Amino acid sequence: MNTQIYKIKGMHCASCASIIERAIKKIDGVENISVNNGTENAKISFDENKTNTDSFNKKLEPLGYSLVVPQTASEMGMSASEHGAHLGLNQSKQEKLAEIKDMKIKIMSAIPLAIISVFVMAWEILAQYNVVSEMSSTLEEFFHHLLPLMATYILFVVGKPYLLGFYRFLRYGKANMDTLIGIGTVAAFLYSFAVTAFEDVLKPFINVDATYYDVTIIVITFIALGKYLEARSKLKTGDAIEKLLNLQAKTALVVRDGKEIEIPVNEVKHGDLIIVKPGTKIPVDGIITEGNSFVDESMVTGEPMPAQKKVGDNIVAGTINTSGSFTFKATKVGSETLLAHIIKMVEEAQGSKAPIQALADKISSVFVPVVLVIAFATLVIWLLLGSNSLGFSQALSFGLVSFVGILVIACPCALGLATPTAIIVGVGKGAREGILIKDAATLEKLHKVDTVIVDKTGTITIGKPTLVDIQNFSNLKDEELISVLASLEKKSEHPIAHAIVNYANEKKIKIESVSNFEGIQGKGLKGSVKDAEYYAGNVKLVRDLGLNFDASKIEKFTAQGKTPVILSTKEKVLGFVMVADEIKAESKKAVQDLHKLGIKVVMVTGDDERAAKYMASLVGIDEVVAHVLPQDKLEKIKELQLQGKIVAMAGDGVNDAPALAQADVGIAMGTGTDVAIESAGITLLGGDISKLVKAIKLSKITMRGIKQNLFWAFIYNIVGIPLAAGAFYPIFGWLLSPVFAGFAMAMSSVSVVGNSLRIKSKKL
């Protein structure tokens, strides 16, 4: 089964999405299709042996749509769908800009004509109430001939998409938003044209003074203006990916045959040595082999402070070298880089559908046919019931106004844009903060979470041993004690040894050469530094040496989960250091912020219970479950879910995979370039737990935006249709002019997109 993502040309609204989905689903070999109105993408899963893109386009082109075929780029090491997604976005942006430019030209030509129509309409209304004097017969005659010419231009040039919508409805029976506008404006135009052309013949039957050219002109202008503003706004919703794409360096300075040469980034191969100068972008992922610097990783991780990088450290494509020069070896190129993964993930998330959207999609798919029935039924009711009380001429006039008004105001555009635009902005904002969201469903689920399960190591703590305490019983200075200890431990491969050596390096403490080095199995090691013999190890080693040592001195430290390393000579204990996995600076604040959001925090760890509880008390965690294996984490999540809790699990995405899958929302604490992006619904780049709080806030803000959008879209249609139909006319004398219906319809779509764009400015 092949799954491709295609850009769609000719798509205007939510009903377009349902037309495309229904048409493609009928093709033999198509397993699944999801069309997103916000991104104008179609994700199609199909059997290549039974069907292909040509078959899809043959089915869609008569309906006014086409799929943009993804292009391949094997030289970039990318699959067709990956490259289509990348290239399609740039290509679509150019097409969108060209489309917007064309729309602008048409709008600029239509607005003066609409102003003239408004002027004529206003004069006629005000003259009825004696606010102004009636138009002179010469002026009236002039406008009597001018308005049909203006309406013809507007309908056949500016309103061409709506005419095509009407034509496709007549030919294929497929109706979308364009169909509604097309039928309404064509009806108003044809009625007016008939009245103008056959004035004398029709005079005995209907009021030939009432024409609706102004309706055709103003409605199409308003709708086209709304579509133009909406297209411009929608372009802004997707700018997160554009910014990510712009992060990619265009060239790389590589060392080939001993020479420095500049090559396009897609020609970089695995193992290439690349030189990075100050102020330049890092072209691909790799490991530093020479030099050191500070690298600005803010656009990938959301961290504002540049990170120090030295030999052996990983670096990521798209980040910026701020100071020194360095050389690194390329380890991931093309679509393998973290940046490429992020772009792909953001694109897929923005194109996915949230469960809340299902309701809007369902309504949109039946909305247009229902509206057509309501509009025609309203016209018939006005003619049947209105003729008795108002007379046929007036009833026909009101019926036509209601018919056009319903068709114009009922367009489900705002409804179709409500969810996808908010999702696009929300996912993009998350990506800029270093929060990668896998799909819209995860973003929706996250706002309901009431319990967060965290792993201790790597989530609450740094995830690697650090020297945290020094107890010195000798005449040596602390620096001298550490110098001896680090010199001995430099020879060991144990993680605790690395912690002591790293501490010495950070504090710039000299590490001496060691002779007569010997490892003592399960106890420690010994060696000579400056001709003096020293021992470093655990309590067992000290006891074996027969030295007096009060073990109670280290008990309170071990109860806190710290590991002692004792330094001694053959004669006496010189002191000891404590090594522990240190709590991250941001952990305490993050737990406090989660509590403020009403979320319970549970720490699940394989560590000793006393040590775990001590660690939990430092950061304010509510509940601790210790001595657990990965499968026990899974059981704890199931237990909480049976209690009716909505559970998010934050783990490292590797040994926590079963638990992450079981949780309602799995959150991977991704660090460096080996981030397990696919293992969870959300990945927090840099492994920063404070981003978990931001992710939950983002989910709440986005869902609030979607609900606001849906509320206003529903209310607008619920109130608008009866008002346009004239339901309030018998009681209040209210009848909605199609002109106001057009304005309201255009503004509803713009306001929904505008409300979604507000998510960008919200502080997380």
Side-chain angles (χ1 to χ4, degrees):
M1 196 62 64
N2 183 22
T3 300
Q4 294 270 26
I5 296 174
Y6 299 91
K7 294 300 289 182
I8 305 168
K9 283 186 183 175
M11 196 168 157
H12 302 293
C13 62
S15 43
C16 293
S18 60
I19 289 169
I20 293 164
E21 282 183 356
R22 285 201 299 269
I24 298 292
K25 264 180 193 167
K26 288 176 185 170
I27 297 172
D28 185 38
V30 173
E31 179 77 19
N32 193 31
I33 174 169
S34 172
V35 176
N36 189 299
N37 177 36
T39 55
E40 294 174 12
N41 274 349
K43 190 175 184 178
I44 308 174
S45 299
F46 60 96
D47 184 343
E48 287 176 291
N49 298 322
K50 292 184 179 177
T51 189
N52 54 35
T53 311
D54 290 341
S55 309
F56 305 151
N57 276 331
K58 271 178 195 165
K59 192 87 172 173
L60 293 177
E61 278 165 4
L63 306 177
Y65 311 106
S66 64
L67 303 179
V68 179
V69 184
Q71 297 171 30
T72 57
S74 53
E75 72 278 2
M76 285 173 70
M78 300 170 94
S79 72
S81 60
E82 280 174 331
H83 185 62
H86 282 241
L87 208 71
L89 200 114
N90 287 338
Q91 189 181 32
S92 165
K93 167 115 186 188
Q94 296 312 313
E95 285 177 2
K96 274 277 167 228
L97 288 170
E99 193 181 315
I100 288 169
K101 191 178 175 185
D102 182 54
M103 288 165 96
K104 188 179 178 181
I105 291 165
K106 285 177 179 170
I107 291 295
M108 295 313 283
S109 69
I111 286 173
L113 307 186
I115 291 168
I116 294 168
S117 300
V118 170
F119 169 73
V120 173
M121 189 169 65
W123 193 332
E124 286 175 348
I125 292 167
L126 293 171
Q128 282 175 17
Y129 296 100
N130 298 317
V131 177
V132 296
S133 59
E134 287 206 3
M135 215 180 274
S136 68
S137 56
T138 311
L139 204 55
E140 196 175 329
E141 193 65 22
F142 171 70
F143 286 125
H144 183 69
H145 290 92
L146 180 65
L147 284 172
L149 294 172
M150 290 185 347
T152 304
Y153 168 77
I154 294 287
L155 183 64
F156 290 95
V157 178
V158 182
K160 190 181 173 185
Y162 313 119
L163 285 177
L164 289 171
F166 185 19
Y167 163 74
R168 289 187 197 105
F169 172 66
L170 294 174
R171 181 155 183 199
Y172 302 105
K174 304 285 184 188
N176 64 5
M177 171 237 150
D178 292 350
T179 311
L180 296 180
I181 306 296
I183 294 172
T185 51
V186 165
F189 180 83
L190 291 178
Y191 173 84
S192 305
F193 183 77
V195 166
T196 309
F198 308 105
E199 191 173 339
D200 296 334
V201 179
L202 297 171
K203 205 168 194 172
F205 309 105
I206 57 172
N207 177 12
V208 291
D209 293 330
T211 59
Y212 299 101
Y213 291 122
D214 50 2
V215 168
T216 303
I217 295 165
I218 300 168
V219 165
I220 288 177
T221 303
F222 274 150
I223 303 288
L225 178 63
K227 284 276 147 209
Y228 167 68
L229 295 173
E230 181 196 309
R232 272 184 52 183
S233 301
K234 270 172 77 178
L235 211 57
K236 287 179 193 167
T237 62
D239 65 3
I241 294 184
E242 193 191 344
K243 282 180 181 169
L244 288 169
L245 283 166
N246 288 339
L247 286 178
Q248 180 67 65
K250 304 291 181 284
T251 59
L253 189 63
V254 301
V255 178
R256 294 251 172 104
D257 302 323
K259 291 179 188 170
E260 291 180 21
I261 55 163
E262 194 164 8
I263 60 168
V265 72
N266 56 12
E267 289 179 17
V268 175
K269 296 183 175 71
H270 291 107
D272 271 345
L273 287 177
I274 300 165
I275 296 165
V276 182
K277 294 185 176 174
T280 57
K281 286 179 184 173
I282 290 158
V284 293
D285 292 4
I287 296 173
I288 295 178
T289 56
E290 189 184 324
N292 58 73
S293 182
F294 283 86
V295 175
D296 177 358
E297 298 181 319
S298 58
M299 268 305 286
V300 177
T301 65
E303 296 298 331
M305 292 294 290
Q308 186 173 10
K309 298 288 179 180
K310 55 188 184 303
V311 172
D313 284 349
N314 289 319
I315 48 163
V316 176
T319 55
I320 299 166
N321 179 28
T322 61
S323 50
S325 293
F326 60 86
T327 304
F328 76 95
K329 185 167 86 170
T331 55
K332 290 178 180 175
V333 299
S335 62
E336 303 166 345
T337 66
L338 179 63
L339 181 61
H341 275 298
I342 291 171
I343 292 167
K344 187 165 181 270
M345 193 173 181
V346 171
E347 277 179 341
E348 286 183 359
Q350 288 186 337
S352 64
K353 288 187 180 182
I356 197 168
Q357 195 176 335
L359 173 68
D361 283 354
K362 207 169 256 181
I363 291 168
S364 295
S365 65
V366 297
F367 207 74
V368 175
V370 167
V371 167
L372 282 168
V373 170
I374 292 171
F376 281 106
T378 302
L379 178 59
V380 171
I381 290 165
W382 268 110
L383 291 173
L384 293 177
L385 301 181
S387 297
N388 297 330
S389 53
L390 301 168
F392 177 76
S393 181
Q394 190 68 16
L396 177 62
S397 181
F398 282 1
L400 190 67
V401 165
S402 296
F403 174 75
V404 177
I406 290 169
L407 291 176
V408 170
I409 205 164
C411 290
C413 268
L415 199 57
L417 290 168
T419 305
T421 52
I423 293 289
I424 290 165
V425 177
V427 168
K429 185 175 177 68
R432 284 201 296 279
E433 296 277 354
I435 301 161
L436 297 186
I437 296 153
K438 198 172 188 179
D439 54 39
T442 301
L443 190 64
E444 184 178 326
K445 262 189 250 166
L446 189 60
H447 90 288
K448 295 177 187 168
V449 163
D450 53 24
T451 307
V452 169
I453 290 186
V454 292
D455 188 28
K456 179 177 80 73
T457 310
T459 304
I460 297 296
T461 64
I462 290 167
K464 63 178 185 180
T466 312
L467 195 152
V468 290
D469 279 300
I470 302 169
Q471 298 290 318
N472 190 350
F473 313 134
S474 70
N475 299 324
L476 298 171
K477 291 178 184 171
D478 283 0
E479 286 81 5
E480 291 171 327
L481 187 86
I482 295 296
S483 175
V484 172
L485 196 51
S487 302
L488 292 169
E489 297 289 0
K490 184 110 193 307
K491 296 274 189 180
S492 170
E493 285 301 313
H494 197 282
I496 287 174
H498 290 311
I500 296 167
V501 173
N502 287 343
Y503 180 85
N505 288 332
E506 280 169 22
K507 301 289 181 188
K508 298 194 164 44
I509 294 170
K510 193 177 179 189
I511 294 176
E512 307 286 352
S513 57
V514 176
S515 57
N516 304 320
F517 178 83
E518 188 186 323
I520 303 163
Q521 187 69 38
K523 295 171 193 172
L525 46 86
K526 71 170 185 174
S528 298
V529 178
K530 291 184 178 173
D531 299 327
E533 191 174 54
Y534 294 97
Y535 291 82
N538 55 22
V539 175
K540 229 176 187 181
L541 177 65
V542 173
R543 284 190 182 137
D544 283 359
L545 289 169
L547 300 177
N548 280 329
F549 180 66
D550 184 2
S552 64
K553 285 178 180 173
I554 60 172
E555 273 177 15
K556 69 167 185 162
F557 292 108
T558 52
Q560 296 168 5
K562 296 172 183 175
T563 304
V565 178
I566 306 165
L567 179 69
S568 73
T569 61
K570 250 185 180 166
E571 294 78 32
K572 61 175 180 174
V573 172
L574 301 174
F576 64 83
V577 296
M578 282 290 171
V579 173
D581 187 3
E582 208 173 2
I583 288 171
K584 288 180 181 175
E586 64 273 9
S587 292
K588 189 173 183 179
K589 173 84 166 64
V591 172
Q592 284 172 349
D593 288 342
L594 287 169
H595 285 155
K596 281 179 194 168
L597 292 169
I599 292 168
K600 181 183 177 183
V601 185
V602 180
M603 185 166 86
V604 182
T605 178
D607 280 5
D608 170 71
E609 189 168 0
R610 275 196 314 168
K613 282 189 171 167
Y614 171 77
M615 203 70 92
S617 70
L618 294 178
V619 291
I621 283 168
D622 303 294
E623 187 186 335
V624 174
V625 184
H627 293 301
V628 295
L629 297 166
Q631 58 265 36
D632 299 327
K633 291 181 186 179
L634 187 72
E635 293 309 314
K636 181 64 184 175
I637 291 170
K638 284 181 181 174
E639 181 193 314
L640 287 164
Q641 286 171 331
L642 286 171
Q643 293 169 19
K645 304 284 186 190
I646 309 291
V647 183
M649 161 81 189
D652 62 15
V654 182
N655 64 346
D656 294 324
L660 287 169
Q662 177 63 37
D664 296 286
V665 180
I667 299 162
M669 308 295 290
T671 47
T673 52
D674 298 320
V675 52
I677 287 177
E678 297 303 319
S679 68
I682 290 176
T683 302
L684 306 179
L685 292 175
D688 182 350
I689 192 173
S690 63
K691 284 181 186 159
L692 172 54
V693 181
K694 286 185 176 182
I696 293 169
K697 282 184 182 172
L698 176 68
S699 173
K700 288 182 185 289
I701 290 165
T702 307
M703 289 313 297
R704 201 179 306 130
I706 289 171
K707 284 169 184 172
Q708 286 165 352
N709 287 348
L710 287 171
F711 172 78
W712 288 113
F714 275 122
I715 285 293
Y716 160 78
N717 282 311
I718 289 163
V719 172
I721 292 173
L723 186 61
F728 301 107
Y729 183 79
I731 311 162
F732 304 109
W734 294 350
L735 198 63
L736 185 71
S737 162
V739 167
F740 292 108
F743 177 75
M745 186 263 143
M747 288 307 105
S748 71
S749 295
V750 174
S751 63
V752 161
V753 178
N755 190 45
S756 296
L757 286 169
R758 281 194 320 127
I759 296 168
K760 274 187 184 180
S761 61
K762 297 282 183 184
K763 192 174 185 304
L764 294 182

